[in-house]
Amino acid sequence: MDAHGDDFGRWMAEGAVGTVQRTEEEWTVIAGYVRHAANKVGPPLPLCLPGESQECGRTAQQHVLAWAAALKAAAHHIIEQSAPSQARAAHVAGPLYQQHLAQLREQAVGRPRS
């Protein structure tokens, strides 16, 4: 996977306001989980997390974001291919998705940031 969000600009210049703070080791674990999930529902992604055999030099946090984007795209593709109509796909990918996202955000509010 070549797309790691590098085209967005320098990572270190971005502020961390409202972002969950994690260690590189914690980001690596999450990146592995997200990549594994993306591999289960979409085309296989290459192994290039920090410390792996095909290390690409990017941070584990960058991998969390890149793999999460791949997972979101794979999920959306599944919705499009599985829905009995375009209207049903639009509902699932739109309002139903937003409902689930809102629930996750509400749950995150109650959790302390690390």
Side-chain angles (χ1 to χ4, degrees):
M1 165 177 256
D2 294 327
H4 288 75
D6 299 40
D7 55 342
F8 189 71
R10 287 186 41 103
W11 282 81
M12 301 312 283
E14 296 183 58
V17 176
T19 303
V20 173
Q21 300 300 304
R22 294 189 168 97
T23 66
E24 184 69 8
E25 293 78 26
E26 291 170 326
W27 283 119
T28 299
V29 169
I30 294 167
Y33 290 153
V34 176
R35 186 192 66 217
H36 182 72
N39 280 332
K40 290 289 187 182
V41 297
L45 300 171
L47 301 177
C48 67
L49 290 175
E52 290 185 339
S53 59
Q54 297 175 4
E55 183 175 349
C56 68
R58 293 165 180 92
T59 68
Q61 183 180 14
Q62 285 174 286
H63 284 89
V64 167
L65 296 171
W67 299 149
L71 181 58
K72 184 176 179 180
H76 192 96
H77 187 66
I78 290 170
I79 290 168
E80 290 177 342
Q81 290 189 323
S82 303
S85 67
Q86 286 184 331
R88 183 65 59 103
H91 171 72
V92 171
L96 187 58
Y97 167 81
Q98 290 298 327
Q99 180 182 357
H100 287 298
L101 184 58
Q103 291 170 349
L104 290 170
R105 287 174 176 160
E106 286 176 19
Q107 292 171 4
V109 169
R111 283 185 258 160
R113 294 192 180 260
S114 29

